[in-house]
Amino acid sequence: MKKFLFLPLLFAALTLSACGSDDDGGDSNPPDKKGSVTLNPTSISASSAGGTFTVNVQTSGEWTAFANNSEWISITSSGSASTQGTVTVTVKKNTSTSSRNGTVTVKCGTARENVTVTQAAPLQVSTDKIYMPSVGGSKTVTVDGNDWTATASESWITTAKSGNTLTITAAQNDAMSNRTGSVVVSDGNSAAEVTVTQSSAEDRTINTPEGYHLVWHDEFDEGTQLNSSDWTHEVQNSGWVNNELQNYRKGAIDGKNITELVDGHLNINCFKGKDGKVYSGRVYAHVGSGWEYGYFEARMKLPAGKGTWPAFWMMPVGNDWNTNPWPMCGEIDIMEEVGCVPNEVSSSVHTQDYNHTKGTQKTHAMTIADAEGAYHTYALEWTADAITTYVDGKVQLAVTKKAMGSGHNQWPFHYAFYPIINLAWGGSWGGMNGVDENALPLTMEVDYIRVFQKD
């Protein structure tokens, strides 16, 4: 059995040799790797404007520092090779809507200490736009901030402060044009601007839907032709769309105006020229900008005659027809009527999944005894979630995003559209029972068009 004692003894000897002893020349006092860190200050409070701050560092040896939120905190270190130094902390401007918290860490050996960094939110206002009627009045804005002041850009705007409430008052506007000013709210570190738009004196004679304000209108009571800064004429030959027979033109044919302003009305004339062709008009309001959501209203008198096809409708602004073709782009028909079905006015919406080529369009029609020959008001209320049309204040068509679906193919009504007024002749619908050229010439009359948006 003695021969088996050799291996345990050999293992013990090797172990002692590997660990060393007090007498074998090894280092009995290895360096302290734990380290220590002392910081001053240990917290930084920055305004929304940001800033630069210095932190004094004292350690037991070499040290390093880093920011844990580098997207808005940056640092530079000095003296990190010694036991004393500084960390310069730079906090960027806060462009978010809330306060934020971060840290800067200083490390020596295994010791770590943090500097907490808090940054205030920029001054906030409850709304950045307010609208006033021409008669003037006051509206309040809630301000989230400390020690703020408010400065108005125009003499017709005054302000008053009470706690976190800012009251903005507009004097009466007797001019026949809208006016715009602003109020800048500032706490010295950040600022917010509230735009103040006031309607012209014309709004006193215009019935504005509750919760809306007038943004544009044309009463057709100035001059003899449409204002080219508001209106664009389409110019196209017959057959351009829907197999329609009319030629859309601007100006006059054989001395007769296509469109004209007469006695405070817009007349769109449809007639046969000396060359045997039929001419008519199609006009776009603010085709380059349009409006996204709102209440759109026109008062008009429709012509009579088999072959007529008057319409008040909307299409998207600046649409790319290659990537977003009809009907994917969407179409809103506020009012359409064809003379072969006299006095029946209809409203429709067209989308990729709901359109007349598939027989799935969302539409509704009603008969108005004197739609041809008398003035009636046709309107659209369009929000992010619903489209509702009206005839003389009575609901015609009501569709919702929830019911139709929220995808672009079901509900593409999420960008600006512009209004269109036109008088077509013949075509796939207007001429479905033929046309009666004995009805020519004829005129579609428009008393006004108005656009309102929510306050």
Side-chain angles (χ1 to χ4, degrees):
M1 293 181 62
K2 290 183 179 179
K3 61 181 180 181
F4 297 106
L5 294 175
F6 172 75
L7 289 176
L9 291 172
L10 177 61
F11 177 77
L14 290 172
T15 302
L16 289 171
S17 174
C19 292
S21 67
D22 291 343
D23 301 326
D24 63 0
D27 184 0
S28 61
N29 296 296
D32 181 5
K33 293 185 178 181
K34 183 177 181 182
S36 63
V37 178
T38 301
L39 305 176
N40 184 30
T42 58
S43 64
I44 292 171
S45 179
S47 71
S48 61
T52 300
F53 308 86
T54 300
V55 177
N56 295 310
V57 180
Q58 186 163 352
T59 67
S60 59
E62 293 184 7
W63 53 275
T64 58
F66 55 89
N68 297 291
N69 305 83
S70 58
E71 69 276 7
W72 59 279
I73 302 173
S74 61
I75 67 162
T76 56
S77 300
S78 176
S80 60
S82 64
T83 60
Q84 291 187 348
T86 59
V87 176
T88 301
V89 180
T90 301
V91 180
K92 294 181 180 179
K93 181 179 180 179
N94 189 354
T95 57
S96 69
T97 58
S98 59
S99 60
R100 53 189 179 183
N101 301 292
T103 57
V104 172
T105 299
V106 178
K107 177 182 177 183
C108 175
T110 59
R112 294 180 180 222
E113 293 294 336
N114 291 329
V115 179
T116 59
V117 182
T118 59
Q119 187 176 28
L123 179 144
Q124 300 289 315
V125 291
S126 57
T127 182
D128 60 0
K129 295 178 182 178
I130 61 173
Y131 301 90
M132 297 287 192
S134 66
V135 294
S138 299
K139 292 191 177 180
T140 59
V141 176
T142 301
V143 181
D144 186 3
N146 298 311
D147 299 323
W148 52 269
T149 58
T151 305
S153 66
E154 308 295 331
S155 60
W156 54 271
I157 302 173
T158 56
T159 64
K161 175 183 178 181
S162 177
N164 66 340
T165 299
L166 169 65
T167 300
I168 298 175
T169 301
Q172 181 168 299
N173 180 16
D174 293 322
M176 299 304 288
S177 59
N178 293 356
R179 59 184 179 182
T180 301
S182 64
V183 174
V184 175
V185 185
S186 174
D187 62 4
N189 295 307
S190 59
E193 184 176 58
V194 180
T195 300
V196 182
T197 301
Q198 187 173 29
S199 296
S200 70
E202 292 173 308
D203 74 345
R204 299 173 205 174
T205 60
I206 292 176
N207 184 23
T208 302
E210 185 176 355
Y212 285 84
H213 62 277
L214 183 68
V215 294
W216 177 78
H217 66 118
D218 198 335
E219 308 298 312
F220 306 118
D221 55 2
E222 295 182 7
T224 59
Q225 294 295 325
L226 289 171
N227 186 336
S228 60
S229 64
D230 293 322
W231 295 94
T232 302
H233 285 76
E234 183 63 83
V235 177
Q236 294 288 347
N237 293 327
S238 61
W240 173 51
V241 291
N242 303 319
N243 299 312
E244 294 166 14
L245 302 178
Q246 82 289 332
N247 295 266
Y248 285 131
R249 291 293 186 267
K250 176 183 179 180
I253 300 293
D254 300 331
K256 184 171 180 61
N257 290 320
I258 300 293
T259 61
E260 58 188 348
L261 305 188
V262 179
D263 297 330
H265 302 89
L266 164 65
N267 288 351
I268 300 180
N269 299 312
C270 182
F271 56 92
K272 182 181 285 189
K274 294 178 180 179
D275 57 5
K277 297 179 180 179
V278 175
Y279 295 94
S280 189
R282 171 166 163 166
V283 292
Y284 307 140
H286 287 253
V287 65
S289 57
W291 294 271
E292 184 175 354
Y293 311 134
Y295 191 93
F296 303 80
E297 180 180 273
R299 184 171 181 262
M300 53 186 63
K301 181 196 297 185
L302 308 183
K306 188 169 70 171
T308 57
W309 185 356
F312 171 35
W313 52 302
M314 299 185 71
M315 288 294 285
V317 173
N319 188 56
D320 185 337
W321 300 106
N322 293 318
T323 60
N324 195 35
W326 188 94
M328 183 185 296
C329 63
E331 174 182 327
I332 305 172
D333 298 327
I334 304 170
M335 185 285 303
E336 290 184 281
E337 189 252 13
V338 291
C340 59
V341 187
N343 298 312
E344 183 181 88
V345 294
S346 67
S347 292
S348 305
V349 294
H350 299 281
T351 72
Q352 184 69 16
D353 287 356
Y354 304 100
N355 64 81
H356 71 271
T357 66
K358 297 179 179 179
T360 57
Q361 80 274 15
K362 300 297 183 180
T363 189
H364 186 270
M366 67 169 67
T367 298
I368 306 298
D370 55 356
E372 296 180 349
Y375 279 102
H376 293 273
T377 301
Y378 305 95
L380 159 72
E381 184 173 25
W382 169 32
T383 69
D385 301 308
I387 286 174
T388 307
T389 65
Y390 302 85
V391 179
D392 295 331
K394 181 180 179 180
V395 172
Q396 164 81 289
L397 173 71
V399 294
T400 65
K401 182 177 181 179
K402 181 178 180 180
M404 290 180 64
S406 59
H408 183 76
N409 285 351
Q410 298 85 40
W411 190 267
F413 309 112
H414 49 76
Y415 35 59
F417 279 59
Y418 59 90
I420 305 169
I421 300 175
N422 70 277
L423 175 55
W425 178 250
S428 56
W429 190 20
M432 64 181 177
N433 295 326
V435 300
D436 178 11
E437 291 194 352
N438 291 322
L440 298 173
L442 45 84
T443 300
M444 175 184 185
E445 299 179 44
V446 186
D447 184 21
Y448 63 77
I449 180 172
R450 297 166 182 167
V451 180
F452 307 85
Q453 289 192 306
K454 285 194 173 182
D455 293 343

XYZ file of all heavy atoms in Angstrom, residues 228-280:
421
model
N -58.169 83.923 -60.794
C -57.225 82.878 -61.193
C -56.337 82.413 -60.056
O -55.716 81.351 -60.144
C -56.351 83.370 -62.353
O -55.609 84.518 -61.975
N -56.261 83.182 -58.972
C -55.476 82.734 -57.819
C -56.227 81.682 -57.006
O -55.634 80.961 -56.203
C -55.112 83.918 -56.918
O -56.284 84.505 -56.361
N -57.527 81.581 -57.226
C -58.356 80.596 -56.528
C -58.770 79.432 -57.421
O -58.955 78.313 -56.936
C -59.626 81.257 -55.976
C -59.349 82.259 -54.875
O -58.452 81.999 -54.064
O -60.031 83.304 -54.837
N -58.939 79.709 -58.701
C -59.584 78.751 -59.593
C -58.707 78.373 -60.777
O -57.989 79.204 -61.322
C -60.897 79.325 -60.130
C -61.929 79.533 -59.063
C -62.171 80.688 -58.372
C -62.845 78.567 -58.556
N -63.190 80.496 -57.468
C -63.630 79.198 -57.562
C -63.100 77.229 -58.855
C -64.630 78.537 -56.867
C -64.096 76.564 -58.167
C -64.854 77.218 -57.185
N -58.834 77.119 -61.194
C -58.129 76.603 -62.363
C -59.141 75.941 -63.294
O -59.960 75.125 -62.850
C -57.061 75.564 -61.954
O -56.144 76.167 -61.049
C -56.308 75.045 -63.175
N -59.088 76.293 -64.576
C -59.973 75.682 -65.570
C -59.324 74.443 -66.170
O -58.135 74.440 -66.491
C -60.262 76.665 -66.712
C -61.232 77.755 -66.361
N -60.886 78.840 -65.580
C -62.552 77.917 -66.699
C -61.943 79.638 -65.453
N -62.956 79.100 -66.116
N -60.106 73.398 -66.324
C -59.645 72.223 -67.060
C -59.835 72.474 -68.555
O -60.828 73.083 -68.968
C -60.446 70.987 -66.620
C -59.988 69.696 -67.267
C -58.567 69.332 -66.896
O -58.377 68.736 -65.822
O -57.659 69.661 -67.694
N -58.866 72.004 -69.346
C -58.960 72.088 -70.801
C -58.735 70.686 -71.360
O -57.620 70.159 -71.293
C -57.931 73.081 -71.381
C -58.009 73.087 -72.907
C -58.171 74.486 -70.820
N -59.791 70.067 -71.855
C -59.725 68.714 -72.393
C -60.751 68.554 -73.506
O -61.811 69.212 -73.497
C -60.001 67.671 -71.305
C -58.959 67.587 -70.212
C -57.656 66.950 -70.664
O -57.601 66.357 -71.732
N -56.615 67.063 -69.841
N -60.441 67.668 -74.442
C -61.369 67.399 -75.541
C -62.409 66.350 -75.142
O -62.257 65.650 -74.135
C -60.607 66.921 -76.771
C -59.737 68.015 -77.356
O -60.082 69.195 -77.304
N -58.605 67.627 -77.920
N -63.431 66.232 -75.940
C -64.477 65.238 -75.699
C -63.866 63.840 -75.660
O -62.846 63.575 -76.306
C -65.537 65.312 -76.791
O -64.950 65.038 -78.069
N -64.486 62.967 -74.875
C -63.989 61.600 -74.742
C -62.885 61.440 -73.723
O -62.400 60.321 -73.491
N -62.492 62.528 -73.071
C -61.379 62.474 -72.108
C -61.690 61.513 -70.969
O -60.875 60.663 -70.620
C -61.106 63.888 -71.591
C -60.121 63.983 -70.480
C -58.874 63.439 -70.442
C -60.301 64.681 -69.240
N -58.254 63.744 -69.252
C -59.107 64.507 -68.499
C -61.335 65.441 -68.694
C -58.938 65.068 -67.228
C -61.157 66.004 -67.445
C -59.971 65.808 -66.725
N -62.862 61.625 -70.382
C -63.279 60.702 -69.320
C -64.739 60.323 -69.527
O -65.539 61.098 -70.070
C -63.117 61.315 -67.906
C -61.647 61.482 -67.552
C -63.858 62.644 -67.795
N -65.095 59.135 -69.138
C -66.479 58.660 -69.089
C -67.220 58.778 -70.427
O -68.449 58.810 -70.448
C -67.272 59.431 -68.013
C -66.654 59.326 -66.644
O -66.188 58.269 -66.228
N -66.646 60.446 -65.931
N -66.472 58.844 -71.530
C -67.084 58.977 -72.870
C -67.950 60.227 -72.988
O -68.901 60.266 -73.796
C -67.930 57.741 -73.204
C -67.097 56.471 -73.220
O -66.026 56.431 -73.833
N -67.581 55.433 -72.546
N -67.600 61.255 -72.199
C -68.393 62.486 -72.215
C -68.213 63.222 -73.541
O -67.158 63.148 -74.187
C -67.990 63.376 -71.039
C -68.337 62.752 -69.695
C -67.652 63.436 -68.519
O -67.121 64.557 -68.701
O -67.640 62.851 -67.413
N -69.247 63.965 -73.950
C -69.282 64.592 -75.265
C -68.772 66.028 -75.269
O -68.453 66.566 -76.340
C -70.725 64.560 -75.807
C -71.357 63.163 -75.923
C -72.794 63.291 -76.412
C -70.546 62.285 -76.861
N -68.735 66.680 -74.103
C -68.348 68.083 -74.070
C -66.830 68.244 -74.235
O -66.048 67.354 -73.947
C -68.789 68.743 -72.764
C -67.864 68.507 -71.566
C -67.909 67.082 -71.043
O -68.929 66.410 -71.172
N -66.819 66.616 -70.456
N -66.451 69.421 -74.671
C -65.047 69.842 -74.698
C -64.875 70.896 -73.615
O -65.537 71.947 -73.647
C -64.684 70.441 -76.056
C -64.756 69.430 -77.181
O -63.767 68.810 -77.542
N -65.961 69.257 -77.749
N -64.019 70.604 -72.641
C -63.787 71.577 -71.573
C -62.827 72.652 -72.065
O -61.756 72.353 -72.602
C -63.205 70.892 -70.339
C -64.208 70.092 -69.533
C -63.928 68.791 -69.132
C -65.427 70.652 -69.160
C -64.835 68.055 -68.378
C -66.349 69.927 -68.418
C -66.044 68.630 -68.032
O -66.955 67.915 -67.296
N -63.218 73.905 -71.844
C -62.398 75.017 -72.290
C -62.382 76.138 -71.244
O -63.210 76.171 -70.331
C -62.929 75.585 -73.612
C -62.770 74.661 -74.816
C -61.304 74.466 -75.182
N -61.161 73.707 -76.421
C -61.019 72.378 -76.465
N -61.048 71.661 -75.342
N -60.867 71.764 -77.624
N -61.433 77.042 -71.413
C -61.329 78.256 -70.618
C -61.548 79.438 -71.550
O -61.154 79.395 -72.717
C -59.950 78.343 -69.968
C -59.698 79.633 -69.196
C -58.279 79.662 -68.643
C -58.028 80.969 -67.888
N -56.653 81.034 -67.345
N -62.170 80.501 -71.055
C -62.369 81.680 -71.894
C -63.678 81.637 -72.637
O -64.715 81.285 -72.056
N -63.634 81.971 -73.911
C -64.860 82.080 -74.695
C -64.732 81.314 -76.007
O -63.643 81.162 -76.558
C -65.188 83.539 -74.969
N -65.852 80.817 -76.480
C -65.964 80.153 -77.782
C -67.050 80.886 -78.563
O -68.188 81.044 -78.065
C -66.336 78.662 -77.642
C -65.274 77.916 -76.821
C -66.519 78.029 -79.018
C -63.922 77.798 -77.496
N -66.692 81.353 -79.754
C -67.644 82.089 -80.603
C -68.238 83.272 -79.846
O -69.429 83.610 -79.985
C -68.780 81.165 -81.087
C -68.263 79.993 -81.906
O -67.197 80.151 -82.554
O -68.905 78.925 -81.875
N -67.426 83.896 -78.991
C -67.863 85.073 -78.258
C -68.699 84.791 -77.033
O -69.138 85.721 -76.336
N -68.910 83.520 -76.720
C -69.707 83.174 -75.529
C -68.791 82.599 -74.463
O -67.992 81.699 -74.730
C -70.797 82.163 -75.894
C -71.727 81.832 -74.735
C -72.900 81.001 -75.190
C -73.851 80.670 -74.035
N -74.429 81.888 -73.423
N -68.906 83.103 -73.232
C -68.044 82.668 -72.128
C -68.389 81.253 -71.678
O -69.562 80.890 -71.560
C -68.191 83.604 -70.931
C -67.582 84.964 -71.181
O -66.521 85.070 -71.788
N -68.264 86.009 -70.721
N -67.329 80.489 -71.388
C -67.517 79.162 -70.795
C -67.965 79.316 -69.345
O -68.936 78.696 -68.905
C -66.228 78.326 -70.876
C -65.792 78.138 -72.329
C -66.397 76.989 -70.160
C -66.727 77.299 -73.162
N -67.237 80.135 -68.587
C -67.630 80.479 -67.215
C -67.662 81.993 -67.106
O -66.883 82.698 -67.762
C -66.652 79.914 -66.174
O -65.345 80.463 -66.381
C -66.571 78.397 -66.253
N -68.537 82.498 -66.248
C -68.648 83.933 -66.063
C -69.362 84.224 -64.748
O -70.107 83.383 -64.235
C -69.405 84.576 -67.229
C -70.805 84.010 -67.433
C -71.475 84.515 -68.704
O -70.952 85.476 -69.298
O -72.531 83.957 -69.085
N -69.097 85.405 -64.194
C -69.775 85.841 -62.984
C -70.865 86.815 -63.382
O -70.602 87.846 -64.023
C -68.785 86.509 -62.021
C -67.546 85.689 -61.618
C -66.774 86.405 -60.517
C -67.934 84.284 -61.174
N -72.103 86.490 -62.990
C -73.249 87.304 -63.364
C -74.150 87.474 -62.146
O -74.602 86.479 -61.557
C -74.056 86.647 -64.513
C -75.271 87.513 -64.860
C -73.178 86.432 -65.731
N -74.381 88.717 -61.728
C -75.303 89.018 -60.619
C -74.977 88.216 -59.356
O -75.869 87.679 -58.694
C -76.750 88.749 -61.041
C -77.204 89.643 -62.190
O -76.695 90.785 -62.275
O -78.038 89.198 -62.994
N -73.690 88.109 -59.026
C -73.293 87.425 -57.799
C -73.353 85.923 -57.878
O -73.418 85.247 -56.836
N -73.322 85.379 -59.086
C -73.341 83.935 -59.268
C -72.257 83.524 -60.257
O -71.868 84.301 -61.131
C -74.704 83.451 -59.806
C -75.859 83.813 -58.944
N -76.557 84.995 -59.080
C -76.451 83.149 -57.923
C -77.523 85.046 -58.181
N -77.482 83.931 -57.465
N -71.792 82.280 -60.119
C -70.932 81.675 -61.131
C -71.817 80.908 -62.095
O -72.565 80.011 -61.682
C -69.915 80.720 -60.485
C -69.213 79.747 -61.444
C -68.327 80.493 -62.432
C -68.403 78.712 -60.660
N -71.728 81.256 -63.368
C -72.441 80.522 -64.409
C -71.459 79.639 -65.172
O -70.418 80.114 -65.635
C -73.113 81.478 -65.396
C -74.326 82.178 -64.803
O -74.764 81.831 -63.703
N -74.853 83.157 -65.516
N -71.770 78.348 -65.263
C -71.022 77.441 -66.137
C -71.947 77.125 -67.304
O -72.998 76.502 -67.126
C -70.602 76.158 -65.404
C -69.707 76.493 -64.208
C -69.874 75.223 -66.370
C -69.234 75.283 -63.425
N -71.550 77.582 -68.484
C -72.399 77.481 -69.666
C -72.020 76.269 -70.512
O -70.842 75.966 -70.693
C -72.269 78.748 -70.513
C -72.710 79.986 -69.751
O -73.779 80.000 -69.138
N -71.884 81.029 -69.764
N -73.022 75.585 -71.011
C -72.822 74.436 -71.894
C -73.596 74.735 -73.183
O -74.815 74.977 -73.147
C -73.331 73.166 -71.228
S -73.090 71.662 -72.207
N -72.889 74.725 -74.321
C -73.531 75.128 -75.576
C -72.798 74.500 -76.769
O -71.655 74.018 -76.635
C -73.529 76.654 -75.709
C -72.158 77.268 -75.613
C -71.382 77.490 -76.743
C -71.627 77.630 -74.374
C -70.118 78.059 -76.658
C -70.361 78.191 -74.275
C -69.605 78.406 -75.409
N -73.460 74.541 -77.898
C -72.849 74.027 -79.119
C -72.218 75.185 -79.888
O -72.854 76.228 -80.097
C -73.888 73.334 -79.992
C -73.298 72.716 -81.268
C -74.367 72.050 -82.115
C -74.795 70.736 -81.517
N -75.677 69.975 -82.454
N -70.973 74.988 -80.269
C -70.278 76.006 -81.027
C -70.620 75.951 -82.503
O -71.296 75.027 -82.985
N -70.120 76.940 -83.233
C -70.368 76.992 -84.669
C -69.762 75.789 -85.389
O -70.186 75.445 -86.492
C -69.801 78.288 -85.245
C -70.519 79.530 -84.751
C -69.888 80.790 -85.323
C -70.606 82.043 -84.828
N -69.973 83.285 -85.356
N -68.741 75.168 -84.743
C -68.105 73.996 -85.354
C -68.856 72.702 -85.060
O -68.406 71.606 -85.417
C -66.660 73.880 -84.872
C -66.552 73.804 -83.345
O -67.608 73.741 -82.662
O -65.409 73.819 -82.820
N -69.987 72.805 -84.373
C -70.794 71.622 -84.071
C -70.388 70.901 -82.800
O -71.062 69.944 -82.392
N -69.301 71.344 -82.165
C -68.857 70.709 -80.926
C -69.571 71.330 -79.728
O -69.958 72.509 -79.754
C -67.348 70.868 -80.753
C -66.531 70.178 -81.835
C -65.038 70.403 -81.609
C -64.203 69.719 -82.682
N -62.739 69.945 -82.479
N -69.709 70.542 -78.678
C -70.320 71.025 -77.439
C -69.219 71.456 -76.479
O -68.238 70.729 -76.265
C -71.205 69.943 -76.790
C -71.743 70.420 -75.441
C -72.359 69.592 -77.716
N -69.372 72.638 -75.883
C -68.376 73.189 -74.972
C -68.993 73.400 -73.593
O -70.182 73.729 -73.476
C -67.834 74.514 -75.514
C -67.072 74.344 -76.804
C -67.714 74.513 -78.031
C -65.729 73.991 -76.797
C -67.024 74.339 -79.226
C -65.028 73.817 -77.981
C -65.685 73.987 -79.187
O -64.996 73.798 -80.368
N -68.160 73.214 -72.569
C -68.634 73.431 -71.199
C -67.429 73.694 -70.305
O -66.293 73.793 -70.782
C -69.436 72.226 -70.711
O -70.068 72.523 -69.475
